[in-house]
Structures are given as structure tokens and as C-alpha cells.
Amino acid sequence: MAQDPTVPKLNFEYWLDKAIEWGQATTLESQKDVCLHLSQLQEFLHQLYEAIKHLGPTVVIQQFPLIGQLLGRLCWNPFVIGYDESQKTLMWCLCCLYSSEPQNAVELKANSWVRSLLCHLLSSSKWESNEAETSAFISALGYTSADYYCHLVKNMVVSLVRELRENQFNGLNIQESISASRVNAVSIFCVPLITLPDLAPLLETLLLYHGGSSKEILSSEFLESVNEAFLKKKISLPESVVFSLWLRHLPSLEKATLHLLDQVLSIQLNSLEEVACVIKDSLLPQAASHPAIFRIINEIFKSALMETDGTSEVLTVIQVFTQLFLQDHQNENKQHKFPLKAYFPYHHQPLVRRLVRRPFELPTTYWSEHVKHISDMVKALVEDTNASSLTDLFEIWFLVACFGEWLDIAAEQLLKAAVEPDPVLWLLAFYYCPKNENQQRTQTVVEAQAVYSHLMMLFNCADLSLKDLEAAVHRVMGTEQCCNQQFTTHLLTNFLLFSPGGHKIAQECIYHITEITDTSKEVHNLLIRTAHRFNHSGEENQRTVKLLNELLQKLTLKV
Amino acid sequence: MDAVLRQVEQLPALLAVSRSAQVRDWDCLTLDRALEWARYFQHLHHRFRARPQLREALGRRLRRSQPLPLLGFPALGRCPQLLGLALLENRALPPAACRCLLRGLLPPPGEGSGCDPRGLALLARRKAAARLLALVPGPEGQLQAEARLLLGRLREEGQEAAEAAGQLPWLRAALEQLPQPRACGVVAAALALLPQGCGTEQAGDTDRAAGSSQGGYQAGAAGDGCAAGLLLSWLLGDQERFSAFCLCLPSSQLAFLAGHYSQLSRSYLDLLTSWGSRLVYDPLQGRWVKSCLDKAELSWEELRERFICLCQGPALLREQTQAALELLRTRDGDFKVRGLSVWTDLLMEVGY
């Protein structure tokens, strides 16, 4: 067969050099190096197999004369054989070198060599003297090497687990404690075996193991690999073990949080329940019951917000995360529950206490008062000349943003209840436009008041047309400041949902806005959040619910 | 059913052939047929394992067709691996058939199910895992694994309700495959595991919980008694073997076993007695020495250590040991002074 030019150039020499360098992986450096390259090697072996699977053995050797050296060396490296699916691919490659009709001495020799290697991998090999006796004994009992190695691995795991557990309680007795280097070594040897189900008890025991020293004794390769396997759902671990992993290895926690953000942002989620499901599965809200974890996750969220310029999807993740965290925290019956201050140490505690009250905990008649209190407190904090640095401002804004439910309720209350509009408008203006160096926020408030008055005038009109709302719509489209755009869109959307006359023109109006501006994502997001609230608190007006669902359907198709 | 019984009789022959030079005439077709048979036997195992009477019938027939009853009913379940690995190791298998075998054992991706039907990739992985975990020096997992398999096999026999007498030659043949020190170690480990009640875990059903644990606990306990009995017969049946056993195992382990098995403690004490009787007192050195420098006996220090360990055991063992020593001291003349009777000195050492 002619050489296929479309086959990608395999980095054969590189891997052969590596295999020679590693040998049988007897030194610590070689072991760590193998661990770092395991997944790339697996990928390479797969590509190699794809390249040779349709070729005859002689052609394979012509194209890759050193393939025997490579495969042979890798077969003696237990890290490679123990990893994931590498042993399968390696054996398939070996089978490709086996001829069913050997024509010459070379092929005969290759056949014999392939069989010896396969025996080495699967049963007893002539190269290992101590295996011969054992395999004779096992055969005499009527068992196979499959049974033997199953038991052997289980036993080794059990005895290592016992050793580690016993040592936990003897942590104070320095003489009897296992040396840190031993535990470190065990963790390195486990790296290829993480997805092997037999190892699960050992993984869990290692992750929960605390020796006497304050330094981390588990190898970082091990911690990273376990985290990877967990995030890719290749293994499942009990919650306490996952929390332990994240508490002792910061990069794993960061990766897990970023992975969650990626997940939520990459798929189109159509309801808040779906978002909540994904976030709950990640175990991050549950882990956040440890204040240290909570604060680190929030720092990552803050960075994500700044990088994406405060996009509404990230905000939604943060808000749902906070809700789930609170639910978990309040449901816990643990005696040593951490106080709220541990999670929000640098914030004004009365404000925190108000924000963490879930809306359904208060009767709806108190909601406006509650929002007013929040608004007053935030205003006081923000306008305090001592706390006017940009960082402080951001921190306050972030705190309020985490509890976005109250903001949504505030906006709703503006249109549904008889409230004093100014504090509410101020709070929403602060949310959409926190900075005020050039009086942007003040302007936003003024704008908002104008829009609000206009909308309130139209509130009880039965027969509305798009023209009546034109002034408001123009504001949405015409402003340069996008924060005003978002704020106005929010007010407008709420108006359409909750005013009796707004229902008829709702679809037309929203279609119009989202066509012209870039706000379809924000509107979609707002509608999802409103739908979620309706499901939980129950919206009495059936027409509103129906309208909401229709709007969502239309928008979902578009977005 | 009769047809099935006749078929099952063929299994030992099939395995024997697969290990012999007769395979050199096999072609792809023959090989595939053999693998089909193996799958069929496994299918029989799955069908009948929850039905005790049929199990027994098949097991009996299987045993009748072998000179040494190596294979019982559970072996039917392991047939594909038994056959596949035996053929893989058989160098007489011609290349064409071997190629078919490789394709059958290690189906490439895309052909058939994605998962590993014979568990061979898992086997390779576990073998590597064993090597990796062995890099951490620790207690010998190998001995434990061999002991568990031995016990598993003995339990299988026990469940088949075969006569004990017929099993001893088989056990002897199996243990002969190991060098003596190792065989002693395995038997010791097996005897040590039994009192801890390592459950009715069937050694053969490796990955999934066996459905055969119906009434498993009681059968297990009875099977354990049988297994212990067999192992002890093997051990105590040959004086030389027993003596080697007691020499190569550490005293603490022997004391543990003596505490759990009364036949063992009696024989052990007898053996220690005979060794002790051969020590003579050297007045110039002021201590007991071996009468001839035969390695297959204990020195004074070792003897003393053995007795101390025995006296640290459970109450019954302690009393038994003390009584034996006192009897021997009395027989020797009941001296209370050192240097006259080894038993007097020993009693003083162990604190009585």
C-alpha cells in the first residue's frame, strides 16, 4: 500500500526518545514526567493505531521501523499500561504487527515477539521469574490471571487504606507516622489509576489524609488529575472528598469554578431551573459552606465579570449560585455552622442580613419596605466620603448584584404596587450604573424618573399602541450609555408584562426593541428570571403568565 | 438436560487440548468453534448458577470427567478467559489461528461493543496497577491474593458438597506448584483469614456480586470449617512439611493460628517439645545449645521466643502451653534450678 500523504505527521521520534528516557519509570523524575504526558501519549497511540490499522505488518515496519522499540519499551512502563485506555490501544497496535501468514524469518520473529509481549501484559511472562510459580498455582486452582490480579489489587488497596487510616489517628505520634515521602509516592503511583474503579477507596482515603505537617504532601500531579477526572465526570467522589480536594488544592477549585462558568455560558439554557441544576451538580454551592471556598469562588466570579464586562449570563450564574448557597446553608443542621460574617467579612453586616432574607420569607406587603431599607443603606454606604474608592464601590455593587432577586422584585414593585419610586429608582440606577465620577449615575436616575413617569401615565390606558410608547422606546435605542439602555429596557419590559394595556402590544414592542438594539440576551435573561419567580411565588394574573411564556418561546427561537 | 451434561463433560478435554501441541492443526474455523464452546459454557453457568440442584448435577458430572477435580461448576463461568489465555500462551497455535484469536480477545474499536467483552484490557490495567502499588514497600499483597483464591476454591468445593477425602490429592497437587516456603506462607495466610470470616465472596465472580449467595452465610460457615479441615490435614499430614512450616513462619503468626485451631496447637506443642528435648546445656557457656548443628531445629533463643508468643495468646492457649511445660518439667524431675531441665528454664522465662 502506498504511503498515505494525508495522514498527519506523527511525532514518532519525540515519543521514542521519551520512552527511552523513561525506561521502566523507576526514578521519581521519570515517574513525574510520565504522569505529565499520559494523556498526550494516549492520543498519540490512538493516532498511531489509526495510521497502521489497515496496513499489513511488513508495511508498518517499513513506515515505522522503530515501532517495535517504541511499543516494547512502553509495554514495560506500568504508568503507561495502567492509564485509562492506553493499554487497549497499545495492544491493538501490537496486534497490527502480527502476521497471519508469515513469509520470512523477520515476520516469524515479530510474531513471536508480539505474543511474548501480550503474555507479559496479560498472563505470566517468561521475563519475570517470580510470576511462573504463582501462575502455575493459580492454574492448578482453576483460576486465571484475571482473578488473581483482581484480588491482588483489591488487597493492596485495602492494606494501603488501612495503613493510612490507622495513621490518621496516630497523627500525634511522630515515630509511628508514615513518612510524608511515602504518602507522596503513593499519590504519584495512583495518577495513572485514577479512573480504575478498584482504586476508589484509596483515592478517597488519600484525599482525606492529613499528616502532621502543614505542607501539602500529596503530589500536585495527583490532585490535578483527580480534579480533571471529576470535572469530566470520569469518576464520582463523595461530597466530603471533593470539598477536601478543593480546600487543599487551590488550582483545582479555580479550575472547577471556571469549568462551571464555561458550561453554563456555552449552552443555551432555557430556564433558571436548568441553570440551577447545572450549578448544583458541580457541587460548588455545597462546597461554599466553607467560607474560604465561598470567598475564592466569589473572587473568580468577580474576575469573570470584569473580563466579560458584566454580561447578564455571568450575573445570572452568580445570582443562582448565591441562592443555592443560601438554601444549602440555611438547611444545614450542623452545630458548627459558620455565621454570615464569615462569608461576607468586609461588608456592612446589617445590609448583608437584609439581602440574605429570601423574598418568600416575607409577606409580599413588606417587600417594598424591605427594598426601601436596602436602597437607603446602599445609598448611605456609597455616598459616605470615606468609602469612595473604586474598589469599595465595586465590592458594594457586587454584593448587591449577588442578590439580584431583590432588584428584580424592586423593579416589579415599581409597576405593581404603590411605592415611593425614588429609592427604588436610585437602587436600580446604582445597579445598572454604579460609577458616578462624571455624574453618570445621577443622570441615569433622572432619565429613569422621566421614563417611569411616562410609563405610569400610560399604565391604566386600555388601548395602547406602539406610538404611545415611542418616547420610551426611543430612549432605549437612542442613548449612548448602555446602562441606561438596559435600565430602560428592564422598566419597559416590566411595563409590558404587568400593565393591563401592555399585553396587546408586548410582542410587537419587544420584537421591535430586540431587532434594533443588542439587548435580546438581556431581555431573554430577564424573562427567564421572571418566569422562575412566578413558578415559586405564584403570579395570580394568568394572562401575565401566559404572555410571559409566549414571549419566552418567541425569543428562544431567535436567540 | 442429558445433552447438556454430556457437553459439560467436554470442558476439561477442551482445556487440555488448548494447552497441548494438538492445536498446531487448528485453523480459524476450529478456533472460532472452540471460543463458541467457551461462550456456551459461560452461558450455562449464568443460567444455572441460581438453581442449586442443576448446579450440583453439572458440577458432579464435570468432576467425574477429570482425574483430579480441578474444575468445578464455577469454572464454567470463567471459561472464555481460561480458554483464551491458555491459547494465547500456547506457542503451538499456528499464526493464522492466532490472528483470529487476537481479534477475538481484543476486538478493535468499532467492531462489536465498545466495552471489553473479556475484561482483558482491565486485566492488563490491573496487572500494571499491582506493579505500581508494589513500588510502595508494604505487606505482601501477593500472599494474601493467593490465599484468598485458595480459600475461594476450597469454598467452592465445600458448596458442591464433595467428599473431603477426594479433595486432598487435588489440594496437594495445587500446592506443589509453589516452592515450599511460599506454600506454607499461603496456607498460613489462608488459615489466618478464615476466623476473620472473609465473607462468602466467591473468588471466581470477580467483578459482579455473585447471585450464588443464597443461603450463603450458612453455607459459608460450613464451607469454612471444611476448608480449614482440609488445609490442616495437608499441613499436619506430613511431619517434615509441618516442621518446615513451623520453622519458616514467624512466632507471632504461629501463635495466632495455634490460638484458633486446636489441632494445630497440639501438634505445634509436640513439635516444640521434640525440639526442646534435643537441646543440651553447655556448662562452659552457661546456656542451652543444639546437640547437633542441624539447621532444621530451633535454638534456645528461638524456642524461648516461641513459647513467649504462645503465652501471649488467648487464655485457652496460655493454659495449654503452661500445662504442657509444667508436665514436662515434672517428668524431668521437677527441678527449680536453672541448667538442669530445659523446661524449668523455659517456665522461668515465660514467667511462671
Side-chain angles (χ1 to χ4, degrees), chain A residues 282-547:
Chain A
S282 74
L283 295 187
L284 285 166
Q286 298 88 322
S289 67
H290 292 264
I293 293 188
F294 180 83
R295 297 212 293 266
I296 292 173
I297 294 180
N298 270 348
E299 289 304 313
I300 298 177
F301 282 159
K302 285 178 200 166
S303 311
L305 270 180
M306 294 210 264
E307 274 175 37
T308 59
D309 226 9
T311 162
S312 59
E313 287 131 319
V314 178
L315 275 169
T316 308
V317 174
I318 297 174
Q319 286 164 2
V320 175
F321 169 83
T322 312
Q323 271 181 30
L324 288 172
F325 157 73
L326 275 179
Q327 258 172 27
D328 212 57
H329 182 79
Q330 279 158 1
N331 285 343
E332 266 179 42
N333 290 326
K334 293 199 317 214
Q335 306 100 312
H336 46 275
K337 210 159 74 161
F338 292 96
L340 274 176
K341 193 165 168 37
Y343 302 98
F344 305 99
Y346 306 117
H347 287 113
H348 187 61
Q349 292 306 304
L351 175 60
V352 172
R353 279 196 292 274
R354 280 206 180 261
L355 284 169
V356 303
R357 297 298 296 277
R358 303 295 309 280
F360 59 74
E361 289 173 18
L362 299 171
T364 48
T365 42
Y366 284 170
W367 282 0
S368 355
E369 201 182 306
H370 196 80
V371 169
K372 181 175 184 311
H373 282 303
I374 292 177
S375 175
D376 289 340
M377 272 196 257
V378 175
K379 193 158 190 224
L381 285 170
V382 163
E383 291 177 352
D384 177 2
T385 43
N386 292 337
S388 57
S389 82
L390 214 53
T391 332
D392 292 333
L393 192 66
F394 178 69
E395 289 296 325
I396 298 174
W397 177 85
F398 183 75
L399 179 67
V400 172
C402 281
F403 298 95
E405 229 185 348
W406 281 115
L407 292 163
D408 284 339
I409 286 178
E412 212 178 285
Q413 292 287 295
L414 269 180
L415 294 161
K416 285 172 81 175
V419 296
E420 216 183 295
D422 287 339
V424 182
L425 286 173
W426 187 92
L427 183 62
L428 288 168
F430 171 73
Y431 175 65
Y432 283 112
C433 192
K435 292 199 277 201
N436 206 25
E437 314 137 349
N438 300 325
Q439 302 301 314
Q440 312 99 307
R441 193 199 318 133
T442 323
Q443 270 191 356
T444 309
V445 178
V446 168
E447 284 267 327
Q449 280 166 336
V451 172
Y452 176 69
S453 327
H454 182 68
L455 290 175
M456 284 323 275
M457 277 196 312
L458 299 172
F459 194 77
N460 287 312
C461 293
D463 240 339
L464 283 173
S465 75
L466 203 51
K467 254 183 113 32
D468 298 318
L469 287 178
E470 222 175 87
V473 173
H474 264 239
R475 282 212 152 84
V476 174
M477 302 189 319
T479 48
E480 298 131 15
Q481 287 201 73
C482 81
C483 50
N484 279 349
Q485 201 180 64
Q486 289 175 0
F487 193 176
T488 315
T489 313
H490 194 161
L491 289 175
L492 198 51
T493 315
N494 273 4
F495 175 80
L496 294 167
L497 280 174
F498 298 115
S499 70
H503 286 194
K504 279 181 285 182
I505 52 167
Q507 285 212 20
E508 198 189 332
C509 190
I510 291 200
Y511 182 76
H512 195 54
I513 299 177
T514 52
E515 272 294 290
I516 313 295
T517 66
D518 200 17
T519 52
S520 51
K521 270 205 176 151
E522 273 78 25
V523 176
H524 184 242
N525 216 290
L526 170 62
L527 292 174
I528 288 182
R529 297 197 313 261
T530 315
H532 180 75
R533 257 199 347 276
F534 283 2
N535 286 340
H536 286 252
S537 60
E539 166 67 29
E540 303 90 46
N541 192 328
Q542 282 309 305
R543 284 181 61 198
T544 313
V545 177
K546 187 162 171 286
L547 175 63

